[in-house]
Amino acid sequence: MLDRAIGGVAPRRRPAPLASPAMVVSLDLLINAIVAGILLGGFYAAVTVGVTIAFGMLDIANIAQPAFILLGSYAAYIITAYVKIDPILVGFIMLPVFYVLGMATYRLYYYAFESRGEQAIQGLAFFFGLLFVGEVSLVLVFGVDYRFVEAPYIGPSLHLGIFDLPLRMLIPCVVSLVMVGVLQLYLTRSFIGRAILAVSQDGLALQLMAASPIRIKQIAFGISTATCALAGTFLIIIQPVEPSIGRDYIGRIFAICVLGGMTSVPGMVAASMLIGIVESITATFYGPSWAPAVAFGFLLATLAVRPAGLMGR
């Protein structure tokens, strides 16, 4: 009626055809999401390998691991602010410092809780306290502002055909996988490494081999904490950090550890890659807010099929 009143008849339009899933999902976008997930998985491997040693091999629920990682991030921030060197080099320089810090932390934990057989709830509260104290200390010293570092590879990307590889993700991923590979060789080829793998299974047999389980655990916890120096450096390269950002990784790193099989470093790497890919694809096509939920749903589905994890015994 309105069309006729103004002197004409409006032409009928055909309804637009519904888009098929093949039209919605771009192949290039999917491939780049998978590649981004692999790079993200490399970073997850760096932040989770320490928990695999402490929680999986030593039965120590070190929920303060994100606090040590943030300490590595702020160490890189402070040193690069005064000395113009590469942040990753700072991570390597801080490895011995974090190793000693980890050994001292385990000694305190052992004398206060483990030697008394109170390493369950009390020990968990101890590490929760470390996490809280670490976060509050960083807030008091640095405030709640975001901090970042500068490096030549933080901005540029490497373009290979349809692949887009941000160097701020690619370089930490490569260095992370090298670190995990060296650590796996140490655990499987050296006497101390094999003792670390055996300490939670049969401490008495370890004593018969003239090795002190407490000493082996102290070394292992030192190595676990030392990885935080590099993991923290990778974190501040990938994104700016503030003291409370470590909370975002507590559940994720323990989930990856369990999915990988607890004591398996190769399983942890595979789990890191899978979680990274699932999160990247979900964030690309459905939004970042869905990524954690889908990733943990994938974890539950996998454990329902294989309760021991991907490479669990």
Side-chain angles (χ1 to χ4, degrees):
M1 298 290 295
L2 180 60
D3 294 329
R4 292 178 181 180
I6 60 177
V9 178
R12 291 187 176 181
R13 297 180 180 179
R14 294 182 179 179
L18 296 176
S20 65
M23 296 173 62
V24 174
V25 178
S26 168
L27 182 60
D28 292 355
L29 196 60
L30 177 62
I31 292 175
N32 275 282
I34 294 174
V35 172
I38 293 173
L39 299 182
L40 180 62
F43 167 68
Y44 283 166
V47 300
T48 309
V49 66
V51 171
T52 300
I53 296 174
F55 183 50
M57 301 178 187
L58 305 181
D59 292 329
I60 299 175
N62 180 18
I63 62 173
Q65 190 82 355
F68 290 114
I69 293 173
L70 272 177
L71 188 60
S73 297
Y74 278 93
Y77 165 73
I78 294 172
I79 294 176
T80 55
Y82 292 97
V83 183
K84 301 301 180 181
I85 60 176
D86 188 85
I88 295 180
L89 180 59
V90 174
F92 282 104
I93 294 173
M94 296 301 294
L95 283 175
V97 178
F98 276 68
Y99 176 75
V100 174
L101 176 63
M103 294 183 73
T105 302
Y106 176 77
R107 274 294 174 182
L108 179 60
Y109 166 78
Y110 172 74
Y111 286 120
F113 304 102
E114 195 173 62
S115 62
R116 303 176 183 178
E118 299 176 348
Q119 64 267 32
I121 300 301
Q122 292 87 342
L124 188 63
F126 168 75
F127 287 110
F128 179 80
L130 281 183
L131 176 65
F132 179 76
V133 170
E135 181 178 328
V136 171
S137 300
L138 289 175
V139 170
L140 292 175
V141 175
F142 298 99
V144 295
D145 296 332
Y146 281 90
R147 309 287 176 167
F148 60 91
V149 295
E150 296 181 358
Y153 47 79
I154 289 181
S157 296
L158 183 64
H159 304 282
L160 298 175
I162 63 173
F163 299 111
D164 188 13
L165 305 175
L167 293 182
R168 66 182 178 85
M169 296 290 297
L170 178 61
I171 293 178
C173 176
V174 172
V175 179
S176 169
L177 294 179
V178 171
M179 176 187 71
V180 173
V182 171
L183 186 57
Q184 174 66 6
L185 287 176
Y186 177 78
L187 291 173
T188 56
R189 300 295 177 86
S190 67
F191 173 79
I192 295 179
R194 290 193 293 268
I196 292 173
L197 294 174
V199 68
S200 64
Q201 301 175 19
D202 196 340
L204 180 60
L206 202 60
Q207 289 180 345
L208 295 176
M209 298 175 63
S212 169
I214 304 306
R215 178 64 176 169
I216 294 300
K217 284 187 176 183
Q218 184 179 19
I219 294 173
F221 200 87
I223 295 173
S224 169
T225 307
T227 63
C228 297
L230 279 173
T233 301
F234 300 154
L235 176 61
I236 199 171
I237 288 173
I238 292 173
Q239 65 177 83
V241 300
E242 51 90 18
S244 65
I245 202 172
R247 302 174 192 171
D248 299 338
Y249 294 94
I250 295 176
R252 187 176 283 111
I253 60 180
F254 277 91
I256 292 173
C257 176
V258 173
L259 180 60
M262 297 290 286
T263 61
S264 173
V265 174
M268 179 274 301
V269 174
S272 299
M273 295 298 175
L274 286 175
I275 293 295
I277 291 172
V278 169
E279 285 192 0
S280 179
I281 292 177
T282 304
T284 299
F285 294 103
Y286 299 100
S289 60
W290 282 96
V294 174
F296 279 96
F298 174 78
L299 166 69
L300 295 177
T302 305
L303 292 180
V305 177
R306 186 172 175 80
L310 296 178
M311 297 186 183
R313 297 175 182 177

